[in-house]
Amino acid sequence: MSKKNNYDKELLRGLYPLLILKLLKGYSPQYGYQIEKNVRILSNSNFVITEGSLYPILHKLEEKGLIKSHHKEINNRIRKYYSITKKGINEFESQSSIAIDVIENFKAFIKLETS
Amino acid sequence: MYYSLTKKQVQRIEKMILDQRIHYQPFIDEMVDHLSVKVEGLMNEGHSFDESLKIVLSKAQLQEVKKLEYTTKRHLNFNYMLKNYFKLAYRALKKYPGTSFINLVGLSLGFTVAILTFLYVSNEYSYDNFHHDPDNIQRVATSIQFDNGDLYETAFSGAPWGPAFVSDVPEVEEMCRLMKYRLPVMMGISNMDVKFYEKNMIWADSTFFSLFNYKLIEGDPKSALGMSNQVVVTESTAKRYFGDESPLGKVITYENNQELLITGVIEDFPENTHFNADLIGSFATLPKFWRILDRWGVVYYYTYLRMNNSVQEAEIIDKLEDVLSANMGEDASDYTLSLKAINDIHTSGNLENELTNNSSTRYLNLVVLIALVVLAASVINYINLATARSLKRVKEVGITKVMGSGKILVITKFIAEAFIVTSLAFFLSLIATGLLANGVSQLFDATIRLRWSPGIVLFSFVLILVCTFLSGGYMAMKMSGISPLKALNGQLNLKTGRGVDLKKVLVTFQFMSCIGLIAANLIIQKQVKFLFTRELGYDKSHVVSIPVYSTQLVPIDKFPVLKNDFTELASVKDVAISSHNLIGDQPYNAAYAVDRYDTLIMGRLHVDHDFVDVFDIDVLAGRNLLKTVTNDTSNFLINESAVKAIGIKSPEEAIGHTMSYTAQNRNGSYRRTGTIVGVVKDFNFRSLHSDIGPIVMDIQPSRTHFINVKLSTNDYTNTIDQLRTKWNDIFQHGPFEYVFLEDKFDTAYKFESSLKQLSFWFVTISVVIAILGLIGLTHFDTSIRLKEISIRKVLGSSTTALLILFWKDYIKMIAIGALIALPAVWYILNKWLSGYAFRAEMSFLQFGYSISLTVVLVTVSTAIIIFRASNTKLTEILRNE
């Protein structure tokens, strides 16, 4: 396992919903702990969404209708599985292209030569 | 081996989470699973369950979980927040069921009054709005200045005027004249022995369907009334006449001699129109039997004009009056014209000869004002009671603040509470409105229907919103502004920045509305009672009026026989015939030549020798018309007002003066000359809204339209049967109908009657609200001053002394309330009363009663609460405080 990156949390906060949507787009359904773990693994620990950030985001995405959930009884407890909705896929497509655009512009901007 | 947690182990994790006072259920399930997975992971690495649990659920970790719940909820949604507030608000309401109940009842009453008033008033203002561009359809009204200075203001205009207006005034695009004969007419179906007596037939120009928006179901709107001898019938009339057969092309006969071809079927008239009809004859037919159509000075028609958009009213009236001058010469100077938009006629058309009994803006404004006062009283009631209850909640707010609640949270909490009560009250009042609408409609003789329309939705929305903020806003602002320290000490300052005690202001308003509404009710009741019991100048009791619809079927020469037959009945005291019904009829006018006047316009009433006796009218000078004096068939009786109009000093001096006027009979017009033989006391022939006016009476049997029978018994049913039998013996085909004059009187003043009912109920409701308010108010005061009451009691103060202590404050507020309310009531009702020619005067007694009643209410409710408060365990109160 590669070492966890020390990105500033504030910087990443806006990307977390996109990371979750991307994950659920490819691998639905997943439950909270699984999402946290899979994001970490698939990003080589570059992106770590702590439970403190994860659950508020999941609830918010569900409220917006971008993801949906269902419950299943597993090992004597109720587990909540999340999967992406059609609206979530559209949102991911549009928001991720905006994010890429922002990053491209940012790259271009910092490459500017200043006298 | 992969470890899975047992049910007990999962329950242990759940319990630990719940011990952290985490309540958000979706979050709990998710945390249990999340932490369970972690515990299972550690157990798979070789740790025991207890060790794993210790690691995963360390104290710091549990606090994190609590924080996480908060973050999730904060992130989550506004909905959750609101839901939580509503839950808190619901609990707060449940905690004080008594106050919540009073609040709910008070607000529901206020809302019910507001909704019923809105439905009623909006229906009144919806009249004739369905026409295209109703603001530009104007009805011409006429004011005629008589030589003696009297002014006759009528909705009538002249028949030749309309066509001249269209041809001479470019701004007038189109016109339509209507004529409605004041008496029912007889219609027959050709080749069939079937007769119908139509009380509601009008005659209209061919432009009827282009000017007004009434839907023609069958026939061509352009030609349906274009020629003479055409008639359009309503759907109901068509069904009545011909069943399911189409009436188009069929012929009906008007008054046995005029055949009319049915050229159209119109939808039944809607309720919200200022006139309606069962049959509409073409105006072009009228000249065949109505010979005075070309006279410019005869006003007996309704003229409606469609105006050009850009016209100024004053400018157009000048032009219309110029048309009169050009055609009438000097006589036109007596005529002043006015215009009224068709959609304003129902709410402000109160001239003589209106097509129906209209409402009035003044009346509607009064209803709205009373409803607003009742609503305001109920909202202020809520504020007072909420304030009273909130004082017990100051500490609760303090704790909320210490726990970190911001200003907005506290405001939202109180507004949410107000919203719940307001919405609940609104819901209850909707149910009440639905249940009461029919009953109230009948009681007030009005149309009130609960139907969802954009107007009522907007009204409901605004009502809930405004009342929520008005009722919850005050305490929300007060509570949110209080410092946590003061709140924890239970201190709440209710004074505004300027040192005004808002609570006292609100309570004073409540007293003000209570006094004002009671006083207004007493004045309205007195005026209506005055109208209904007023000495009319004649005795209407026990008089049955039998209309004579058609002289075709009821020949005039048989009336003496009928009269004789009626008089022979033991239950009949006397019988008289007249041209008019004395109540609610359209009086005739005629131009009399008398003394220095060539044309003095006065009311004209045709009677017989027994008229004065049947109605018990006082003869002031001279004598009644006598059967024994042959000349009396052309002599006159006049009233006191006519004496004044002619300019004679006393009734006695009027006797012997000669008068003449142009009368009509079957052969055309002729000059009728006679002598004044008697002067009678003024009696109310016209509406009580207007002055009595001069009346001239003479005998003209061809104008017999009503037989007035004075009964000497209270056995009405048998007597009416006897009258009917006698009538049928002579007039087999003539319909026998009757109306008691006293009933007719009640119908003619239905608005006054409704207002009487309305004000009684509104005042009853507002007094109930005021009593609820007073209970809240005293409860409020005792809540604040419980400690003071207890100390005073401990020191030996009596309950009476305590009552006086509280009472003194209220008396001051009642005095201020009365000082504001009574002049306002005096001003508003004085304006309302000025619409009556005969009115009951306002007196200080009515004002005194309203104040006394309020004082009694305050004293009783204060006494009950103080008595209860002073009987609670004093030590308990002092310990708690």
Side-chain angles (χ1 to χ4, degrees):
Chain A
M1 192 189 284
S2 49
K3 206 186 160 198
K4 187 183 163 185
N5 229 320
N6 272 334
Y7 292 142
D8 184 358
K9 273 187 184 173
E10 287 302 314
L11 197 67
L12 293 178
R13 202 174 294 271
L15 291 177
Y16 286 165
L18 289 177
L19 296 176
I20 294 168
L21 288 174
K22 168 67 186 170
L23 185 75
L24 292 176
K25 194 173 162 240
Y27 311 95
S28 277
Q30 296 197 45
Y31 56 95
Y33 182 82
Q34 207 177 6
I35 294 169
E36 182 196 333
K37 201 171 139 193
N38 287 343
V39 168
R40 183 161 39 86
I41 292 168
L42 291 172
S43 68
N44 290 325
S45 294
N46 283 321
F47 300 126
V48 177
I49 310 175
T50 61
E51 59 214 45
S53 302
L54 176 73
Y55 288 103
I57 294 170
L58 284 173
H59 284 243
K60 189 88 185 166
L61 290 174
E62 190 180 11
E63 199 221 347
K64 283 183 174 174
L66 303 177
I67 58 172
K68 59 185 179 187
S69 66
H70 68 272
H71 295 87
K72 210 172 175 182
E73 203 179 321
I74 305 271
N75 296 341
N76 301 310
R77 58 189 184 261
I78 291 164
R79 178 165 288 169
K80 193 176 180 185
Y81 283 96
Y82 293 97
S83 48
I84 194 162
T85 62
K86 210 170 177 182
K87 194 177 167 193
I89 295 171
N90 293 336
E91 178 78 1
F92 172 74
E93 302 293 348
S94 64
Q95 290 302 315
S96 57
S97 67
I98 292 170
I100 290 165
D101 198 38
V102 169
I103 292 163
E104 291 302 324
N105 282 320
F106 178 72
K107 273 159 71 181
F109 185 81
I110 57 171
K111 277 182 188 166
L112 280 179
E113 300 231 345
T114 49
S115 54
Chain B
M1 182 191 163
Y2 180 80
Y3 284 100
S4 297
L5 294 183
T6 63
K7 199 170 185 178
K8 271 194 171 174
Q9 287 168 333
V10 173
Q11 280 171 350
R12 219 170 126 193
I13 295 173
E14 187 175 357
K15 189 177 178 298
M16 290 183 82
I17 292 171
L18 288 174
D19 285 347
Q20 295 302 307
R21 300 181 65 82
I22 290 169
H23 304 295
Y24 184 42
Q25 193 57 43
F27 180 76
I28 294 169
D29 290 343
E30 217 154 15
M31 275 302 102
V32 170
D33 184 44
H34 189 96
L35 297 174
S36 299
V37 174
K38 279 188 166 181
V39 170
E40 282 169 348
L42 286 168
M43 286 171 78
N44 282 323
E45 285 173 17
H47 295 281
S48 69
F49 173 72
D50 285 335
E51 279 170 0
S52 307
L53 198 61
K54 207 173 175 185
I55 297 164
V56 172
L57 294 175
S58 63
K59 200 177 174 187
Q61 185 73 32
L62 279 172
Q63 279 171 358
E64 277 298 308
V65 172
K66 173 76 191 162
K67 219 191 278 176
L68 187 54
E69 185 205 25
Y70 173 73
T71 324
T72 309
K73 283 197 292 191
R74 196 187 63 194
H75 260 73
L76 228 191
N77 58 36
F78 194 64
N79 292 345
Y80 177 78
M81 194 175 75
L82 277 182
K83 211 166 116 186
N84 213 17
Y85 289 153
F86 279 110
K87 206 190 279 175
L88 284 172
Y90 170 71
R91 282 182 193 151
L93 294 175
K94 234 170 81 176
K95 201 172 171 188
Y96 305 102
T99 326
S100 303
F101 176 76
I102 292 175
N103 267 337
L104 213 56
V105 172
L107 268 184
S108 302
L109 282 172
F111 282 173
T112 308
V113 167
I115 297 171
L116 285 170
T117 307
F118 175 81
L119 292 172
Y120 169 58
V121 173
S122 59
N123 181 63
E124 292 293 293
Y125 279 105
S126 75
Y127 270 64
D128 289 301
N129 269 324
F130 56 86
H131 299 292
H132 297 304
D133 201 6
D135 292 335
N136 282 328
I137 303 174
Q138 306 268 350
R139 186 191 67 187
V140 181
T142 316
S143 297
I144 306 171
Q145 183 74 56
F146 295 148
D147 291 353
N148 62 337
D150 283 351
L151 195 65
Y152 173 58
E153 292 178 295
T154 172
F156 283 152
S157 47
W161 301 4
F165 291 156
V166 174
S167 61
D168 298 349
V169 183
E171 290 86 349
V172 178
E173 291 176 344
E174 198 176 20
M175 71 89 207
C176 180
R177 291 166 298 176
L178 303 182
M179 195 278 256
K180 184 180 180 188
Y181 189 50
R182 69 183 180 90
L183 296 168
V185 294
M186 187 183 70
M187 303 298 295
I189 301 176
S190 290
N191 308 322
M192 287 173 76
D193 190 22
V194 184
K195 306 283 178 210
F196 294 95
Y197 296 92
E198 300 295 349
K199 294 176 182 171
N200 207 6
M201 179 179 187
I202 58 169
W203 300 88
D205 272 313
S206 59
T207 46
F208 186 82
F209 294 105
S210 57
L211 197 78
F212 305 119
N213 192 22
Y214 298 113
K215 201 175 165 193
L216 200 65
I217 305 165
E218 286 184 66
D220 177 11
K222 285 180 187 158
S223 61
L225 295 171
M227 293 160 67
S228 65
N229 305 339
Q230 289 181 323
V231 67
V232 169
V233 295
T234 60
E235 265 182 302
S236 316
T237 308
K239 205 162 181 81
R240 206 154 34 94
Y241 282 25
F242 306 104
D244 292 332
E245 263 184 78
S246 168
L248 226 58
K250 291 196 160 52
V251 175
I252 52 176
T253 320
Y254 171 80
E255 289 283 299
N256 259 7
N257 62 10
Q258 186 65 55
E259 291 198 316
L260 301 172
L261 177 70
I262 299 177
T263 49
V265 180
I266 187 176
E267 257 183 11
D268 284 355
F269 280 69
E271 272 180 29
N272 57 346
T273 177
H274 79 284
F275 71 88
N276 60 54
D278 296 323
L279 299 106
I280 307 163
S282 62
F283 205 86
T285 316
L286 284 178
K288 299 199 169 186
F289 54 88
W290 197 257
R291 297 189 193 94
I292 49 174
L293 214 58
D294 55 346
R295 291 197 199 162
W296 280 76
V298 174
V299 286
Y300 195 71
Y301 316 88
Y302 302 92
T303 308
Y304 295 83
L305 309 174
R306 182 182 291 288
M307 299 295 190
N308 199 313
N309 262 329
S310 56
V311 190
Q312 292 287 324
E313 192 176 314
E315 200 181 311
I316 191 77
I317 286 173
D318 284 346
K319 289 186 180 181
L320 298 178
E321 287 176 350
D322 286 346
V323 174
L324 294 194
S325 301
N327 292 282
M328 296 170 78
E330 272 184 21
D331 288 348
S333 61
D334 295 335
Y335 292 72
T336 310
L337 303 183
S338 61
L339 295 171
K340 191 172 284 293
I342 192 165
N343 50 351
D344 288 339
I345 293 174
H346 179 72
T347 49
S348 59
N350 288 305
L351 301 171
E352 290 273 350
N353 318 113
E354 292 285 353
L355 275 160
T356 45
N357 275 344
N358 290 322
S359 181
S360 83
T361 315
R362 193 181 296 166
Y363 166 75
L364 293 175
N365 286 345
L366 194 64
V367 171
V368 170
L369 186 72
I370 296 175
L372 279 178
V373 173
V374 172
L375 181 65
S378 66
V379 171
I380 284 174
N381 206 19
Y382 178 87
I383 300 174
N384 282 335
L385 293 173
T387 314
R389 200 184 52 194
S390 302
L391 281 167
K392 290 186 177 171
R393 298 174 60 190
V394 182
K395 281 181 187 167
E396 174 194 323
V397 172
I399 291 164
T400 319
K401 287 203 156 195
V402 167
M403 294 299 282
S405 287
K407 218 173 173 176
I408 297 292
L409 188 95
V410 178
I411 290 176
T412 316
K413 192 178 150 90
F414 280 91
I415 295 285
E417 266 186 49
F419 181 75
I420 288 184
V421 179
T422 309
S423 306
L424 208 57
F426 184 78
F427 179 70
L428 289 177
S429 58
L430 275 187
I431 296 174
T433 305
L435 293 173
L436 293 173
N438 270 344
V440 175
S441 299
Q442 282 170 7
L443 190 67
F444 301 141
D445 199 8
T447 311
I448 299 172
R449 272 193 218 105
L450 184 57
R451 276 187 196 152
W452 289 107
S453 63
I456 183 79
V457 171
L458 185 71
F459 172 76
S460 310
F461 184 69
V462 170
L463 189 69
I464 293 177
L465 216 64
V466 169
C467 289
T468 296
F469 282 98
L470 281 179
S471 54
Y474 170 61
M475 276 325 290
M477 297 316 288
K478 276 283 158 201
M479 287 294 195
S480 64
I482 190 170
S483 77
L485 195 65
K486 281 188 176 171
L488 285 171
N489 282 328
Q491 296 171 358
L492 179 65
N493 181 15
L494 288 172
K495 289 191 174 168
T496 62
R498 290 177 185 170
V500 178
D501 191 336
L502 200 54
K503 179 209 84 188
K504 284 191 176 169
V505 173
L506 296 174
V507 173
T508 306
F509 178 87
Q510 207 155 26
F511 288 145
M512 189 185 89
S513 60
C514 191
I515 294 168
L517 284 172
I518 293 173
N521 179 48
L522 290 173
I523 294 163
I524 292 169
Q525 302 287 328
K526 189 178 172 188
Q527 169 65 14
V528 177
K529 196 177 167 194
F530 176 79
L531 280 184
F532 279 73
T533 56
R534 189 181 174 274
E535 189 57 57
L536 297 171
Y538 63 89
D539 184 8
K540 64 179 186 305
S541 62
H542 297 91
V543 176
V544 181
S545 176
I546 302 165
V548 180
Y549 286 164
S550 170
T551 47
Q552 299 287 331
L553 288 176
V554 187
I556 292 157
D557 55 352
K558 290 195 175 169
F559 275 101
V561 185
L562 181 75
K563 226 181 127 172
N564 199 40
D565 285 358
F566 278 177
T567 319
E568 277 175 1
L569 292 171
S571 48
V572 171
K573 198 173 169 191
D574 219 338
V575 181
I577 59 174
S578 62
S579 58
H580 288 75
N581 196 323
L582 281 197
I583 297 161
D585 210 340
Q586 287 175 0
Y588 290 149
N589 283 309
Y592 291 89
V594 53
D595 286 4
R596 62 196 165 99
Y597 296 106
D598 293 332
T599 52
L600 180 62
I601 309 283
M602 293 194 279
R604 180 161 62 103
L605 179 62
H606 303 299
V607 296
D608 68 357
H609 307 95
D610 300 307
F611 183 82
V612 166
D613 293 333
V614 164
F615 288 102
D616 202 12
I617 297 169
D618 289 345
V619 179
L620 299 177
R623 58 173 175 80
N624 187 9
L625 298 168
L626 299 173
K627 284 176 194 162
T628 47
V629 181
T630 324
N631 280 349
D632 269 3
T633 49
S634 59
N635 285 338
F636 300 104
L637 279 179
I638 61 172
N639 69 349
E640 284 174 282
S641 295
V643 174
K644 284 179 206 148
I646 298 166
I648 303 170
K649 281 177 190 162
S650 67
E652 289 74 18
E653 285 177 42
I655 308 301
H657 284 250
T658 305
M659 283 173 80
S660 69
Y661 73 102
T662 305
Q664 297 280 328
N665 65 12
R666 290 184 180 281
N667 306 316
S669 55
Y670 67 100
R671 199 73 192 164
R672 196 181 168 116
T673 306
T675 310
I676 299 171
V677 293
V679 175
V680 299
K681 199 176 167 189
D682 273 348
F683 60 93
N684 275 100
F685 178 36
R686 296 177 199 276
S687 159
L688 289 175
H689 290 273
S690 50
D691 289 326
I692 287 175
I695 297 281
V696 179
M697 289 174 278
D698 63 355
I699 294 171
Q700 213 181 116
S702 65
R703 296 282 186 179
T704 298
H705 294 305
F706 292 93
I707 302 172
N708 307 288
V709 184
K710 177 91 174 177
L711 306 182
S712 57
T713 172
N714 286 328
D715 182 9
Y716 295 144
T717 319
N718 278 331
T719 311
I720 294 295
D721 282 346
Q722 289 169 350
L723 291 174
R724 183 183 285 114
T725 310
K726 295 278 180 197
W727 171 281
N728 288 339
D729 284 348
I730 296 172
F731 310 119
Q732 286 87 0
H733 298 292
F736 177 83
E737 285 186 12
Y738 67 92
V739 62
F740 279 92
L741 276 196
E742 283 176 317
D743 295 342
K744 179 101 180 150
F745 186 82
D746 291 347
T747 315
Y749 297 97
K750 71 168 190 174
F751 272 111
E752 286 73 14
S753 182
S754 330
L755 188 62
K756 185 183 167 192
Q757 301 272 15
L758 201 75
S759 75
F760 172 77
W761 283 107
F762 274 15
V763 167
T764 307
I765 291 169
S766 69
V767 167
V768 169
I769 291 171
I771 292 171
L772 291 176
L774 289 174
I775 294 168
L777 160 76
T778 34
H779 189 253
F780 172 56
D781 254 13
T782 46
S783 299
I784 304 172
R785 296 162 72 177
L786 214 53
K787 196 173 175 181
E788 181 194 333
I789 293 172
S790 307
I791 294 170
R792 283 179 188 274
K793 280 289 278 184
V794 168
L795 292 175
S797 179
S798 67
T799 306
T800 319
L802 281 174
L803 179 63
I804 292 169
L805 187 79
F806 277 77
W807 195 69
K808 272 194 317 201
D809 273 358
Y810 299 150
I811 293 298
K812 269 185 220 161
M813 288 188 252
I814 289 173
I816 296 169
L819 275 176
I820 303 166
L822 297 180
V825 168
W826 183 87
Y827 176 75
I828 294 164
L829 287 183
N830 198 36
K831 276 185 95 174
W832 175 70
L833 285 172
S834 66
Y836 293 90
F838 306 96
R839 53 182 173 265
E841 293 306 319
M842 283 188 266
S843 76
F844 283 108
L845 214 57
Q846 290 151 338
F847 294 156
Y849 281 146
S850 64
I851 297 171
S852 311
L853 193 59
T854 311
V855 170
V856 169
L857 286 174
V858 171
T859 310
V860 171
S861 61
T862 313
I864 292 168
I865 298 224
I866 299 275
F867 185 75
R868 271 181 57 192
S870 59
N871 278 303
T872 43
K873 283 184 182 171
L874 301 176
T875 45
E876 211 168 276
I877 293 165
L878 289 170
R879 195 186 308 128
N880 287 339
E881 291 286 321

